[in-house]
Amino acid sequence: METIIKHFDKYLPLDDKEKEALISRLTERKIKRKQYILQEGDTCKYFTYVVKGCFKMYGVDNSGAEHNLTFAAEDEWIADIDSLHKEKASKLFIEAIETSTILQVSKGNLWYLYNKYPKFDRNFRVIIEDKYIELQNRLLQTFSTTAYERYECFLEQYPNLSNRLPNTQIASYLGITPEFLSKIRNQRSLK
Amino acid sequence: METIIKHFDKYLPLDDKEKEALISRLTERKIKRKQYILQEGDTCKYFTYVVKGCFKMYGVDNSGAEHNLTFAAEDEWIADIDSLHKEKASKLFIEAIETSTILQVSKGNLWYLYNKYPKFDRNFRVIIEDKYIELQNRLLQTFSTTAYERYECFLEQYPNLSNRLPNTQIASYLGITPEFLSKIRNQRSLK
DNA sequence: TCTACATTAAGACTATTTCTTAAACAAGCT
DNA sequence: AGCTTGTTTAAGAAATAGTCTTAATGTAGA
C-alpha cells in the first residue's frame, strides 16, 4: 500500500484523510501469469494499479491475431476506460504477462473518491493526460514511420520493458509478426 | 460565450462564480482558413475551444507528408497537450480548415481555474478521457483493419465531418493517399 | 470569371511485411 | 531435474495493400 501512496506524491500528494479513504477502498489481488483481469465481452469493473508484475491490454482482430495496445508494469494504472466509464462490453483483454500483485478500485469507489476528494479528479486527470500523450505519439509514429524506426523508439522509451517482455509481445505492440521483428533485430546488429 | 457554458452543462454544470471565472479568462479569436494556431517547433500556449469552424492537428514526416491526428469542429477542444503541459516544442501543426471562431485559455489561466475551482479538474478529466477513448479505438483499428473498413467506420462515427472535409484531409486521417481513398469510394459505390 | 486545388480513373509498380518451414534455444511447470 | 511448451533466429518465396504517375474533369474560393 505504501507504493501507491508514493505514487500519488508525484502528483498532488494525499493528506491523511485522503490516504485512508483511498486505502480502505482498494482491494489487493495476486494474479497468476496468463490470468485475465478483463476479457472481451465483459464490462471492465476496476481501475487497476500494478504493484508488482506486468500486464498487457490487447484486442483480437477478425483473423484471430492479437494487437497489444499497451503494457502496464510497476507503478502504472491500467483499465479499458471506455468500458469502465460507459459500462459497456469491452472489446479488449487485460492479461498478466508475469505473476503479479495489483490494487483495484471499483468504479463505485472511484466515483466516491472523485466526489468526496477533488484531489483525485486532479491526479487522475494528470494520469490520463500522460496516457493520452503516449497514445498520440504512438499513433503519429504508426502513420509516419517503418517498423524498424518504431522498434528503435520503443527501445528508447521502454528500456526496462524491452528486456522483460518476450519478442512476441513486442512484435504485437509494434503491429508486426515476431519473425519480422527478428529480422529487424538482425539488421540492427549489423550496423 | 453561451455555447461554452452549455458545453459544460454536459458534464458538471458550472455555477455563477465558475462561469464568470471561466469567461473572464477566455480570449475570443477569429481564425481564417489555412491559418495556424500552432506550428511545429513552437510551444502550445492555449487550450482551444471551437465555437464555429473546423481545425486539423497533424504531424509532418521525413518525406514531407502530412498525417492528421485529429479534427476539431464546433463544441470541441483542441491542443497539443504534450507541448502545453511540458512546455516543450511541439511536433505538430494545428490549422484552420474553415474560417473559424475560437475561445482560448492560456496555460496559466487554465491552471488558475484548476486550482481555484476543482470542478474544472473534473470536467477536463472527463473531456480528456473521451479523447483518450477515441485515440485508443483508432489505434486498435489502425492495427487490425484495412483502409476500407477504417473509412466505413469514419463515415459512421463522423457523418457530419465526412461531408464537410475535403477527401485529401480524410485520406490523411486514415493514413492513405487521396487516390487510394478515391478507389475505396469507387469500390463502395459498386456494392 | 479565373485559378488553384480536389476528385476520379486506371494501370503499372513496389516495398514492407507475411508466410512457411525448420532448427536451436530458453523457460516455466510438476 | 527433466519434460514440454513456447520463443527466437534464419532465410527464401510470396503476397498485397497501398503508392506512383499521368491525365482529364470537376469544384470552390478569391
Side-chain angles (χ1 to χ4, degrees), chain A residues 166-168 178-179 182-183 185-186:
Chain A
N167 275 6
T168 44
E179 293 90 343
S182 179
K183 281 187 194 180
R185 285 161 69 94
N186 185 259

Side-chain angles (χ1 to χ4, degrees), chain B:
Chain B
M1 292 290 178
E2 267 175 46
T3 80
I4 199 170
I5 299 300
K6 269 193 198 161
H7 171 73
F8 281 104
D9 286 344
K10 292 193 289 189
Y11 307 98
L12 273 186
L14 305 178
D15 64 31
D16 288 343
K17 271 202 175 167
E18 290 157 345
K19 283 179 192 172
E20 201 197 353
L22 174 65
I23 288 173
S24 70
R25 275 163 186 87
L26 290 172
T27 312
E28 184 172 306
R29 292 175 67 196
K30 305 265 179 197
I31 308 291
K32 287 208 185 114
R33 193 168 163 270
K34 299 206 174 176
Q35 193 181 333
Y36 299 101
I37 58 174
L38 175 68
Q39 278 182 272
E40 187 175 14
D42 292 351
T43 302
C44 185
K45 301 279 186 199
Y46 305 97
F47 219 119
T48 298
Y49 171 85
V50 182
V51 178
K52 175 132 192 39
C54 187
F55 289 82
K56 60 178 173 178
M57 180 162 74
Y58 62 93
V60 175
D61 69 21
N62 297 326
S63 40
E66 293 181 10
H67 301 277
N68 285 345
L69 281 174
T70 195
F71 301 111
E74 284 78 15
D75 209 28
E76 289 189 283
W77 291 91
I78 192 160
D80 177 0
I81 296 176
D82 197 9
S83 171
L84 183 72
H85 279 45
K86 300 185 179 156
E87 295 184 13
K88 67 188 195 187
S90 178
K91 288 179 245 164
L92 306 175
F93 297 82
I94 303 178
E95 184 187 329
I97 299 179
E98 304 169 1
T99 297
S100 304
T101 309
I102 60 179
L103 297 170
Q104 292 189 306
V105 215
S106 69
K107 182 178 172 173
N109 280 326
L110 188 58
W111 262 231
Y112 169 89
L113 291 172
Y114 283 153
N115 287 322
K116 183 115 180 198
Y117 304 103
K119 204 182 279 173
F120 288 105
D121 270 322
R122 161 69 62 90
N123 285 337
F124 278 94
R125 174 174 64 73
V126 178
I127 288 167
I128 299 285
E129 279 168 352
D130 286 344
K131 284 182 173 291
Y132 176 82
I133 291 167
E134 207 183 309
L135 268 195
Q136 182 177 280
N137 287 330
R138 206 159 148 221
L139 191 64
L140 187 59
Q141 248 190 56
T142 304
F143 279 146
S144 60
T145 68
T146 63
Y148 187 99
E149 290 173 89
R150 271 179 278 147
Y151 179 59
E152 299 237 291
C153 204
F154 173 79
L155 290 181
E156 251 183 68
Q157 221 173 343
Y158 305 99
N160 43 325
L161 279 184
S162 67
N163 298 325
R164 225 167 136 175
L165 295 173
N167 276 6
T168 44
Q169 295 310 319
I170 297 174
S172 164
Y173 178 89
L174 297 174
I176 56 175
T177 56
E179 291 90 344
F180 189 54
L181 177 53
S182 179
K183 281 187 193 177
I184 290 173
R185 285 160 70 93
N186 184 260
Q187 248 182 81
R188 275 172 49 83
S189 70
L190 299 178
K191 281 216 174 153

Side-chain angles (χ1 to χ4, degrees), chain A residues 152-166:
Chain A
E152 299 237 290
C153 206
F154 173 79
L155 290 181
E156 252 183 67
Q157 223 175 341
Y158 305 99
N160 42 326
L161 279 184
S162 67
N163 299 324
R164 225 166 136 175
L165 296 173

